[in-house]
Amino acid sequence: MGAGHDHAHGTDHAGHSHAPADFGRAFLIGIILNTGFVIVEAAYGWISGSMALIADAGHNLSDVLALMLAWGASVAAKKAPTDRFTYGYKSSTILAALANAGLLLVAIGAILYETLHRMAQPAEVQGETMAIVAGIGILINAGTAALFLRGQHDINIRGAFLHMAADALVSLGVVIAGLAILWTGETWIDPAVSLLIVLVIAWGTWGLLKDSVAMSLLAVPKGISEKAVRDYLAALPGVDAVHDLHIWPMSTTETALTAHLVMPQGHPGDAFLSEISHELEHHRIGHATIQIERTPHCAGGC
């Protein structure tokens, strides 16, 4: 009747790898540089009275925690499956992305609260200190972002890159604010820039939160068309119908698929399944399980 066949990369596809790239060194360098800078920036923000510097330090701290989570998840994702965790710990990368979005929301709330307080009660600000410290931040954040320039297909790596790139832009804004305060003496510029920083963080956080929640709910990953995959399977020779098609993320870099193909003439052979597996890789699906049926068996409805 029906036959299940697992083609999660047999010997004919051994050359293809969908495992997370090794960014261990990049994570380590990024964490060390940004932890040191957070301490320096927060200290000088306090000394100079700059809420913009403190806000940027808070954002950088959340990014350090995000880098730690993403690194830990990437290491866990490489661990071998066990009798209980038969997929291994690949989905920890999705949990890390979701946790990172949560951390950013907390950072937004804390910075926004202090910014509004500072707007109500402006304080003297040392514009020169702001500009110098933030200038160092541009170099550190841009350099860290460059470490994650490749590997944009992984939401964790993309998140790390976007965070660091946004931080570099935010630091540039603080430099401009510091110079403006130095030239004009207007202290309202500092909390105003801090508010802009909050908006930048919120904009990036929304995209990361939306993507990570979708992956947590096993939505079809971005960049993959369920309709295109269904149409491809339905057009195969001998296939009368496709049902129970499911496409979901196993991790931030790996996608799985299961499908039942109704083929009244019977099983066409392993070469047929091998070709499907190879073709689905072009749809960014690396783990496919296809079941062949002579008649449809879809109890829940096709």
Side-chain angles (χ1 to χ4, degrees):
M1 297 280 287
H5 296 268
D6 184 6
H7 271 260
H9 291 284
T11 55
D12 53 336
H13 297 297
H16 296 273
S17 174
H18 298 268
D22 187 1
F23 282 85
R25 185 178 179 185
F27 279 122
L28 180 60
I29 293 173
I31 289 170
I32 291 174
L33 286 176
N34 283 274
T35 299
F37 183 63
V38 163
I39 296 171
V40 171
E41 188 172 35
Y44 275 97
W46 182 267
I47 293 169
S48 66
S50 171
M51 189 57 217
L53 276 181
I54 294 175
D56 195 30
H59 185 204
N60 272 295
L61 178 60
S62 71
D63 285 344
V64 169
L65 296 176
L67 289 175
M68 288 179 175
L69 276 171
W71 188 13
S74 69
V75 172
K78 293 183 176 70
K79 290 189 175 297
T82 66
D83 291 343
R84 185 176 184 188
F85 297 95
T86 55
Y87 275 133
Y89 300 90
K90 299 178 186 297
S91 60
S92 62
T93 56
I94 298 175
L95 295 178
L98 189 59
N100 285 340
L103 280 173
L104 286 170
L105 289 176
V106 172
I108 288 171
I111 296 170
L112 183 60
Y113 173 82
E114 187 58 35
T115 297
L116 294 177
H117 175 73
R118 185 61 64 88
M119 281 184 164
Q121 299 179 4
E124 289 297 321
V125 179
Q126 299 175 19
E128 184 178 1
T129 302
M130 280 179 64
I132 293 172
V133 175
I136 296 172
I138 293 175
L139 297 177
I140 291 176
N141 290 320
T144 304
L147 296 174
F148 299 100
L149 193 55
R150 60 187 182 86
Q152 297 295 298
H153 60 285
D154 185 334
I155 188 177
N156 271 322
I157 302 302
R158 176 162 56 91
F161 171 77
L162 290 175
H163 283 318
M164 294 298 108
D167 279 351
L169 292 175
V170 168
S171 294
L172 177 60
V174 176
V175 168
I176 294 172
L179 294 175
I181 292 172
L182 187 63
W183 292 332
T184 67
E186 298 290 341
T187 57
W188 63 266
I189 295 174
D190 177 64
V193 169
S194 180
L195 188 59
L196 288 175
I197 291 173
V198 169
L199 293 176
V200 170
I201 299 171
W203 178 266
T205 300
W206 172 246
L208 182 63
L209 180 63
K210 189 168 60 172
D211 289 348
S212 56
V213 167
M215 296 185 85
S216 299
L217 295 175
L218 304 183
V220 176
K222 289 178 67 175
I224 298 177
S225 168
E226 190 270 355
K227 182 181 184 303
V229 172
R230 183 181 292 274
D231 289 347
Y232 160 69
L233 293 174
L236 290 170
V239 175
D240 275 13
V242 178
H243 66 89
D244 287 308
L245 173 62
H246 302 287
I247 305 170
W248 72 96
M250 295 172 61
S251 71
T252 54
T253 58
E254 298 177 76
T255 303
L257 170 150
T258 58
H260 292 204
L261 305 184
V262 180
M263 305 184 72
Q265 302 304 314
H267 197 299
D270 287 348
F272 174 78
L273 294 176
S274 180
E275 177 58 30
I276 292 177
S277 179
H278 180 74
E279 182 61 32
L280 287 176
E281 289 186 342
H282 297 302
H283 290 271
R284 295 172 50 200
I285 297 170
H287 301 265
T289 302
I290 305 295
Q291 179 167 313
I292 306 298
E293 300 173 351
R294 286 184 178 274
T295 56
H297 298 278
C298 41
C302 298

